[in-house]
Amino acid sequence: MTNFILVPGAWHGGWWWQPVVERLTAAGHRAVPVTPAGLAEGDELAGQRAINLDTHVQQVLDQAPATGQDDLVLVGHSYGGSVINQVADQVPQQIAALVHLDSDVLENGESCYTFTTPANREYFLEAVTPDGLGVAPLPFFDERARPHPLATLLQPTRLSGAWKTVPVKHFVAALKTPGGLQAPESMRRVSEDPAWRYEEWPVRHNVLAEGPERVTDLLLRL
């Protein structure tokens, strides 16, 4: 049995992963979809303790099995990539694989804001909620999407590089996103790095939109 922890992209909750969770569970694995703090149904950012990248990293650490085994697979989509690498940097000995689905592969000191595309940076600032705490979801997102805590996108990562010792690092690039590539810098960074398994899919950034089977198949063949 493999333990999977699944981290969604910005504005999304664990619900995004549900079709994959069902398939992994049916195959005999443990699959935990994370709803990052501030993104659960009914959550209001105002009145909560400050939510930053560290908050989301600690959530994932809290979900890791306390067995000391090295069978944990962390999967991150989009923003979730910045979370899983920072988790792996703290407990690399527990991680069997990191799977990035068109996501952010950051180095120490980088943030999602500094690393993303110019169009996304512009949107992050234009869509700040009136209370200044979140970024509103794009209008075409699922109705369950919530304002994303702004500080998680701005906070720089703190990485020692220990995450790079994880034996399997896999990156999926989505090539058919309307408006252009969403992870071009990550693609550039990992595509020619022999430490990574890199593949390109003819899908949009929301890699589950065209069916969860491809993602599930990838995870089962790691």
Side-chain angles (χ1 to χ4, degrees), residues 28-180:
H29 302 288
R30 175 179 178 265
V32 178
V34 175
T35 294
L39 292 161
E41 182 178 1
D43 271 0
E44 298 294 338
L45 296 178
Q48 294 196 39
R49 293 184 62 184
I51 297 171
N52 58 16
L53 179 60
D54 291 339
T55 312
H56 291 170
V57 168
Q58 188 60 51
Q59 273 190 270
V60 176
L61 285 167
D62 290 344
Q63 291 289 346
T67 61
Q69 297 177 349
D70 60 353
D71 63 350
L72 183 59
V73 175
L74 302 181
V75 189
H77 172 243
S78 194
Y79 158 79
S82 63
V83 177
I84 65 171
N85 276 9
Q86 194 150 310
V87 171
D89 203 64
Q90 297 189 37
V91 290
Q93 70 283 354
Q94 292 190 44
I95 315 300
L98 293 168
V99 180
H100 285 256
L101 300 177
D102 211 39
S103 62
D104 297 324
V105 181
L106 306 181
E107 295 287 358
N108 183 53
E110 295 176 335
S111 69
C112 288
Y113 178 80
T114 60
F115 194 66
T116 194
T117 64
N120 285 342
R121 282 198 294 273
E122 183 177 351
Y123 180 78
F124 289 169
L125 298 182
E126 289 181 349
V128 172
T129 53
D131 58 15
L133 299 176
V135 179
L138 287 157
F140 56 81
F141 278 176
D142 186 288
E143 63 182 11
R144 292 169 289 185
R146 303 287 304 158
H148 192 89
L150 177 60
T152 68
L153 304 173
L154 300 179
Q155 183 184 5
T157 56
R158 293 193 297 274
L159 298 168
S160 70
W163 69 272
K164 296 181 181 181
T165 66
V166 172
V168 175
K169 295 177 285 293
H170 198 110
F171 188 93
V172 170
L175 300 185
K176 296 294 185 180
T177 302

